[in-house]
Amino acid sequence: MPRRSVIIDTDPSPDDAVAFLMALASPEELDVLAITTVAGNVPLPLTSKNARKALELAKRTATPVYAGAAAPLVRKLITAEYVHGRTGFDGYDLPEPAMPLAEGFAPEVIVELAMQRSPGEVTLCCLAPLTNIALALSKEPRLASHLREIVIMGGAFSEGGNITPAAEFNIFVDPEAAARVLGCGAPITMIPLDCTHQALTAPARLDKLRACGTPVTEAFYHLLKFNKIFDETKYGWVGGPLHDATVIAYLLAPGLFAGREVHVSVELGSAQTLGMTVVDWWSVLGKPPNVQFLRSVNADGYFDLVIERLARL
Ligand code: RIB
Ligand code: CA
């Protein structure tokens, strides 16, 4: 598989950090050009701090972190401290980062890094509300056709929403940005709750992670242990969904996933279903597909990959 250049846009809580650390642990397959942060799980200063905390823990401070949007395109920011704790990284104390943020506004950096490379070279990995991506697409209309792929953790179909009955968090926080991205024409792969809710951080999986015995695996054992509490209480599951690492696992091992090309749109008009991803799974409307929508994952294979890659750091 040819090596991909990736930009990872993120609002770190632990599932995000597992994703970008997996990517950094896979230099044969992925060249991580930059990490860009956005407001989402917690406000921008904290997402930008958490990204750097994780990079310092893994001794990967050569990877630049660029801060982006502090709020959605047109709406008030909604955050998720009720899931991830006040810091977004509750559950394990990591030192304040020494590495500075890189100079530059994330949407502008996304455009610059992508457009200075050949067409079809750069993949955007989107682990958060899509504000930075929408701003980048608006800033450079040629960006969409220049990208290799946009891979998004977000949305939901038969699983329903996780922040409202209809909407998944990343889409709900900035639905206008999501609509902009889904309509941009770039090749898009979407990994929704239908998929990520099959991939739970069960105790045996967390114990296997901890048994690797490195500072990274020890820290993420505790971070993920805290992070699963809300979902275990809400859903009655054993373990919580490891959402965002599915994006990197898809790039590394696409055979772990299954889905189909469908048309997906975002509800913007209804207060009750705002941010719902309307997935035309049976092509009832006959609209041309705009998304590869992945609905299933081999969870054991996924966690084997996650653990194997994190253990490399
Ligand atoms: O709904 C799950 C998504 O929202 C994940 O990206 C998680 O990190 C949060 O951002
Ligand atoms: Ca996220």
Side-chain angles (χ1 to χ4, degrees):
M1 176 176 70
R3 196 164 181 242
R4 278 196 198 233
S5 297
V6 299
I7 298 169
I8 302 175
D9 194 66
T10 177
D11 62 339
S13 61
D15 65 313
D16 296 67
V18 169
F20 62 73
L21 291 182
M22 270 178 82
L24 290 166
S26 310
E28 310 264 301
E29 300 98 329
L30 302 174
D31 175 16
V32 181
L33 303 179
I35 288 173
T36 55
T37 56
V38 67
N41 284 316
V42 286
L44 182 67
L46 285 172
T47 59
S48 303
K49 180 185 288 190
N50 293 340
R52 289 174 288 150
K53 281 185 173 182
L55 291 177
E56 289 192 347
L57 171 71
K59 298 186 176 26
R60 289 298 193 281
T61 52
T63 302
V65 178
Y66 297 92
L73 295 181
V74 294
R75 293 175 190 273
K76 200 170 151 315
L77 177 63
I78 292 170
T79 53
E81 289 88 347
Y82 58 90
V83 180
H84 309 292
R86 188 190 56 75
T87 69
F89 250 37
D90 284 24
Y92 193 77
D93 283 340
L94 289 170
E96 290 295 295
M99 71 180 280
L101 282 170
E103 285 293 310
F105 181 48
E108 293 169 359
V109 172
I110 289 168
V111 169
E112 198 182 309
L113 289 173
M115 299 310 289
Q116 70 191 202
R117 285 167 174 79
S118 318
E121 196 179 323
V122 173
T123 297
L124 300 187
C125 301
C126 308
L127 316 180
L130 293 162
T131 317
N132 284 343
I133 314 306
L135 290 170
L137 289 166
S138 300
K139 179 176 172 55
E140 177 47 81
R142 295 173 300 157
L143 179 62
S145 58
H146 200 77
L147 292 169
R148 174 170 175 173
E149 189 173 12
I150 301 176
V151 188
I152 300 167
M153 188 278 133
F157 176 43
S158 51
E159 188 66 9
N162 60 356
I163 184 160
T164 72
E168 178 278 327
F169 180 82
N170 287 340
I171 308 299
F172 180 75
V173 168
D174 199 341
E176 284 76 16
R180 174 90 184 77
V181 174
L182 289 184
C184 78
I188 296 175
T189 294
M190 197 168 220
I191 308 180
L193 296 180
D194 306 67
C195 200
T196 65
H197 281 185
Q198 297 169 20
L200 304 182
T201 54
R205 290 167 174 160
L206 291 185
D207 291 344
K208 200 170 159 192
L209 175 69
R210 189 180 202 182
C212 298
T214 69
V216 168
T217 54
E218 179 66 14
F220 278 88
Y221 167 79
H222 292 287
L223 287 165
L224 292 173
K225 200 159 177 235
F226 174 87
N227 205 244
K228 66 186 175 72
I229 296 169
F230 176 82
D231 284 315
E232 285 184 324
T233 311
K234 172 180 174 181
Y235 293 107
W237 293 336
V238 178
L242 187 65
H243 297 289
D244 291 335
T246 57
V247 168
I248 304 303
Y250 162 74
L251 297 181
L252 297 174
L256 291 174
F257 298 84
R260 71 166 71 150
E261 300 279 343
V262 291
H263 187 272
V264 179
S265 54
V266 179
E267 175 58 50
L268 298 177
S270 147
Q272 197 172 6
T273 56
L274 178 71
M276 177 179 183
T277 44
V278 181
V279 181
D280 191 355
W281 188 255
W282 302 107
S283 192
V284 171
L285 301 177
K287 289 182 179 177
N290 58 336
V291 171
Q292 176 185 224
F293 195 80
L294 302 181
R295 283 185 77 188
S296 66
V297 61
N298 167 344
D300 286 336
Y302 169 53
F303 277 94
D304 287 348
L305 180 62
V306 168
I307 293 166
E308 185 268 325
R309 295 297 154 115
L310 286 188
R312 292 181 176 187
L313 295 168

